[in-house]
Amino acid sequence: MIGAGMGAMAAAARLAVAGHRVAVYERTETYGGAVRRFERDGFGFDTGPGLLPLPAVYRDLFIKTGKEPLEACVELVQVDPSARHVFADGTEVSLPNASRAGVVAALDEALGAGTGDRWGDFLVRAREAWDRTRRPLLEEPLWPNWQVLAEREPYPSVPHKRLLRTRRAGTLAEVGAWELRDPRLIALLESHALAYGLDPSVTPASAAVLPYLEHAFGTWYVRGGIRELARAVYERCVARKVEFHFGAEVTGVVEKDGRATGVELADGTVAEADTVVGGGPWRLSDLVPGRELYRAEEVEPSAEGMSRGRVVVCLALRGARETGAEHRTVVHAPDRQAESDAFGVGEPPAQPTVRIDRPDDPALRPDDAHESLVLTATVPSQTLYDWTAPGAADAFADRMVTVAERAVPGLRERTLWREVRTPVDTQRETGAEGGGVPAPALAAAHGTLLHPSNSTRIPGLFTVGGWSHPGGGLAHAGMSGALVAGLIVEGPEFRGSQ
Ligand SMILES: Cc1cc2nc3c(=O)[nH]c(=O)nc-3n(C[C@H](O)[C@H](O)[C@H](O)COP(=O)(O)OP(=O)(O)OC[C@H]3O[C@@H](n4cnc5c(N)ncnc54)[C@H](O)[C@@H]3O)c2cc1C
């Protein structure tokens, strides 16, 4: 197993239970990949994901790999409201977790009568897209005839009459403009694409599954921080006798008679194996020089550095967290097209959408007279913008704090110190080129948002994690682990988890 990211560890635990001897070679000194915690002076901050979507994926992992369920290993807390949204015109709404009636009522009250039903009706259509794509996109290995997924738009858009023609929304922007018709609802919808740096005007309508996922399955916090989930998965692996080697960079995949038979490490040693599971297929091809991992007609790896990265600002605050403060707040950008255009030209957006996470968790603050708070914004990766240029990271962090102050007044005055992390840190911690962060796989768009299959052309060589099927995100990486384990244990006829 190359790397101790969440996808690889999910595969490792399952393979160990199936009777395999599993060794993980990780280039850094710790497990979890992007799922890190930054700690200083009694403050703690999640510097990767701030919430866990679809906890069922990790519940399943824990059920399949041991006696203790996930809830016995970590404390899962449903985040309610799931998020507070602060829109460009100053309107605010807090959306209750996983309650259609609650969401409809909250929107009607904050945005005006009728907006709740419009969003509620959209969620019904989004659910249909989810039902149509859930298995092929998350629960099954990528179909050999993946073109069906790539060409068919699963979102049942409402016919839209324009002049004498009837059209159907094909992009997320069209869904917003034609079906939601309220600038705040449109911002709510499009923010789900922008969070991954995807331009809503070209992102397929199938991305409607992203807000649906959040609505239907809720958002969850892991007490102590999301890093606790990585710890629990790591400990489950260790309990199942998975061997971990830290500070062990894999520099090549060893092949014999066209089959992967082991890995070569940076110190020149070779570890033999029947099967090798690598991370991002883009980088994996460098470890097998001269060999194509995928056939021309398959989904090919996309350049990691072209995916957007994140700037994360950890703020150590004096003063108590006020009671009733929302766990997550999204401060929407005034001009989403400008934000998305900035990504295209490799500039950090002038007025970014900023996500604020302020968990009410004593484990993350020195005492109750202080608070730890994390700001996250989506930005071009280090491949497209030099985050190491003097002042670049700090100037952008200042911009993010200014935006966040619209939702949390007094932030600047309360700040004791801050730690700014850029795609350069992500690159160091995950190995991803330019510190890009992969988006989840989405249907339609001619397959441009699909990720390569978990099996490669080289027998015995598989790929796992956010850069391969079914794409990025904590839950998606966990699913990739289940798929890879299934493909290795059951062989190419494996048709997915039930
Ligand atoms: C700042 C940030 C914010 C994010 N926010 C969210 C969010 O809000 N919601 C969400 O769901 N997801 C989010 N993600 C994405 C999510 O964290 C990842 O998609 C998920 O953790 C899956 O990771 P992975 O399995 O692909 O492994 P990665 O996290 O990519 O880790 C790969 C591991 O492999 C190791 N490695 C790489 N190459 C080698 C080699 N040659 N030899 C040895 N080891 C190697 C790396 O050191 C690393 O430990 C975020 C990520 C980042 C960076």
Side-chain angles (χ1 to χ4, degrees):
M1 199 73 62
I2 305 175
M6 295 301 280
M9 290 198 297
R14 286 173 184 268
L15 286 168
V17 167
H20 289 259
R21 226 191 102 210
V22 187
V24 178
Y25 296 90
E26 165 57 50
R27 53 189 262 289
T28 71
E29 296 301 327
T30 187
Y31 55 81
V35 187
R36 296 280 179 130
R37 179 185 298 150
F38 177 77
E39 287 175 339
R40 190 195 293 167
D41 303 340
F43 291 91
F45 309 85
D46 278 320
T47 58
L51 291 173
L52 169 66
L54 266 183
V57 170
Y58 287 93
R59 285 200 183 107
D60 185 60
L61 171 67
F62 277 70
I63 288 169
K64 300 273 169 61
T65 59
K67 288 199 194 97
E68 283 187 319
L70 176 62
E71 273 85 352
C73 305
V74 295
E75 189 186 342
L76 281 182
V77 188
Q78 199 156 9
V79 173
D80 200 4
S82 62
R84 165 188 172 214
H85 292 268
V86 178
F87 298 105
D89 67 356
T91 323
E92 289 191 16
V93 65
S94 288
L95 297 180
N97 196 324
S99 154
R100 186 181 191 278
V103 166
V104 168
L107 287 170
D108 272 347
E109 196 186 330
L111 310 188
T115 53
D117 273 339
R118 232 176 291 152
W119 183 257
D121 292 347
F122 157 73
L123 286 176
V124 172
R125 293 188 292 279
R127 180 194 171 136
E128 210 168 313
W130 168 252
D131 288 342
R132 286 176 184 167
T133 54
R134 180 178 56 90
R135 279 198 66 79
L137 270 187
L138 265 184
E139 296 172 1
E140 296 176 355
L142 189 67
W143 292 347
N145 64 338
W146 57 270
Q147 288 88 350
V148 181
L149 268 174
E151 299 307 329
R152 204 180 283 158
E153 172 52 70
Y155 177 78
S157 50
V158 180
H160 170 74
K161 286 210 169 53
R162 198 162 167 221
L163 301 175
L164 291 175
R165 292 172 59 208
T166 300
R167 300 190 59 197
R168 283 176 178 275
T171 65
L172 211 57
E174 287 169 349
V175 172
W178 299 348
E179 300 179 9
L180 298 178
R181 302 189 308 278
D182 175 285
R184 285 88 37 106
L185 289 183
I186 295 172
L188 186 57
L189 173 69
E190 293 190 352
S191 63
H192 287 272
L194 281 171
Y196 295 101
L198 303 175
D199 180 348
S201 67
V202 291
T203 301
S206 73
V209 298
L210 300 175
Y212 174 74
L213 254 171
E214 183 179 301
H215 167 77
F217 304 105
T219 44
W220 299 74
Y221 177 64
V222 182
R223 185 80 56 208
I226 297 293
R227 170 84 179 156
E228 285 297 291
L229 179 69
R231 177 196 53 77
V233 175
Y234 168 71
E235 286 176 0
R236 176 57 52 97
C237 284
V238 171
R240 294 291 154 258
K241 308 244 173 333
V242 173
E243 239 175 69
F244 283 84
H245 304 264
F246 292 107
E249 180 171 4
V250 173
T251 49
V253 172
V254 182
E255 278 182 78
K256 198 169 170 212
D257 303 329
R259 192 188 158 83
T261 54
V263 293
E264 189 183 279
L265 300 166
D267 66 6
T269 55
V270 167
E272 289 181 3
D274 296 333
T275 307
V276 175
V277 180
W282 175 257
R283 268 168 289 140
L284 193 58
S285 49
D286 292 343
L287 304 185
V288 270
R291 295 288 305 270
E292 294 292 330
L293 291 182
Y294 299 94
R295 290 186 187 84
E297 66 275 18
E298 289 179 305
V299 176
E300 289 191 22
S302 51
E304 294 174 351
M306 299 312 284
S307 281
R308 312 307 170 210
R310 306 282 185 276
V311 167
V312 174
V313 182
C314 308
L315 293 173
L317 303 178
R318 67 171 78 81
R321 179 186 193 279
E322 68 263 30
T323 35
E326 290 79 1
H327 186 117
R328 168 160 293 180
T329 301
V330 179
V331 186
H332 292 262
D335 186 344
R336 290 181 305 286
Q337 195 56 53
E339 184 171 23
S340 162
D341 291 347
F343 298 149
V345 294
E347 284 292 329
Q351 288 177 293
T353 301
V354 173
R355 190 178 89 191
I356 306 169
D357 282 323
R358 47 191 314 201
D360 186 8
D361 192 338
L364 300 181
R365 55 189 181 233
D367 53 49
D368 288 346
H370 294 87
E371 181 182 5
S372 70
L373 186 146
V374 177
L375 308 179
T376 308
T378 302
V379 295
S381 75
Q382 174 66 19
T383 305
L384 296 177
Y385 180 78
D386 185 8
W387 288 101
T388 63
D394 264 328
F396 189 70
D398 283 341
R399 234 180 271 173
M400 288 170 66
V401 171
T402 303
V403 171
E405 280 198 304
R406 288 186 47 218
V408 187
L411 208 49
R412 214 176 286 266
E413 293 77 61
R414 288 179 61 202
T415 302
L416 285 170
W417 50 261
R418 74 182 188 191
E419 168 76 12
V420 181
R421 297 167 50 92
T422 71
V424 177
D425 298 283
T426 306
Q427 178 161 5
R428 194 184 58 245
E429 291 173 352
T430 67
E433 193 178 282
V437 175
L442 292 171
H446 310 298
T448 47
L449 294 171
L450 293 175
H451 293 267
S453 122
N454 306 102
S455 7
T456 71
R457 275 180 78 177
I458 301 175
L461 182 62
F462 297 82
T463 72
V464 76
W467 297 100
S468 26
H469 180 71
L474 270 179
H476 289 67
M479 285 306 297
S480 81
L483 293 176
V484 166
L487 286 165
I488 293 172
V489 173
E490 291 185 29
E493 52 289 340
F494 173 67
R495 286 290 165 266
S497 43
Q498 296 309 308

